[in-house]
Amino acid sequence: MLSKNFLSIYRKWAIIALLLVGVYFFAYSDNAVVGLAAPCIEECEDNFASCRDECLNSCDQSSNSTACNSCLIACTPTYNSCMGNAVWCDVGNSYSPNCTVSYGLHCPIVAGSPDCSHSSAFNAYFMVCTQGGNTCVSCPGYRYCSGSGGVGACIP
């Protein structure tokens, strides 16, 4: 007889506990959704542009093309991961990039002029940036970057 009473009491406590878990889940599920919400596409783009802007020192004249390429390419996996589940929020971009990344011929400067037909010319990334209101090119290895519009070098 005593065990039937305990079974009845345990069953009632189990039902109460189950109901409390359900109430907790439904009452606080909004907070869980906010923590798991998809990022905005605009946020992914802003972070990508910011990461690329931070590569300016890796792409300056005193750097080399490998360091520049590595820095710029290192921004891509995070961007791809972010975009993998991003949604369009239509909030606009909040970050204005200072630099745009281009890919073109890096030409050696021979006798004071760029020689893009030289055997050491190669294709790689470079950056065209705005510093202090002026446009400049961040072309590694003291080279001329074809497609940069002939603007001067960015001063580190």
Side-chain angles (χ1 to χ4, degrees):
M1 190 74 161
L2 186 61
S3 64
K4 281 188 180 184
N5 286 341
F6 279 119
L7 264 160
S8 176
I9 291 171
Y10 286 137
R11 186 176 26 208
K12 289 176 185 174
W13 279 110
I15 290 170
I16 291 171
L18 187 61
L19 289 172
L20 287 173
V21 168
V23 168
Y24 178 81
F25 176 75
F26 287 111
Y28 295 103
S29 64
D30 288 345
N31 292 338
V33 170
V34 169
L36 299 174
C40 293
I41 289 174
E42 298 92 334
E43 182 183 354
C44 298
E45 291 171 346
D46 287 345
N47 291 339
F48 189 50
S50 174
C51 181
R52 287 181 149 193
D53 277 354
E54 291 176 16
C55 291
L56 184 60
N57 292 336
S58 298
C59 295
D60 67 8
Q61 286 187 327
S62 62
S63 183
N64 60 47
S65 184
T66 304
C68 181
N69 290 346
S70 296
C71 185
L72 293 171
I73 291 170
C75 298
T76 304
T78 305
Y79 174 71
N80 289 341
S81 175
C82 184
M83 290 295 282
N85 60 358
V87 295
W88 183 256
C89 297
D90 200 23
V91 294
N93 294 75
S94 62
Y95 181 81
S96 297
N98 294 320
C99 301
T100 57
V101 177
S102 297
Y103 188 83
L105 197 57
H106 289 223
C107 310
I109 298 172
V110 179
S113 298
D115 184 357
C116 293
S117 61
H118 195 273
S119 61
S120 69
F122 59 90
N123 284 306
Y125 291 108
F126 63 92
M127 301 173 76
V128 176
C129 304
T130 302
Q131 285 185 334
N134 297 319
T135 303
C136 61
V137 64
S138 195
C139 185
Y142 294 99
R143 290 178 169 258
Y144 171 82
C145 286
S146 178
S148 62
V151 296
C154 293
I155 299 169

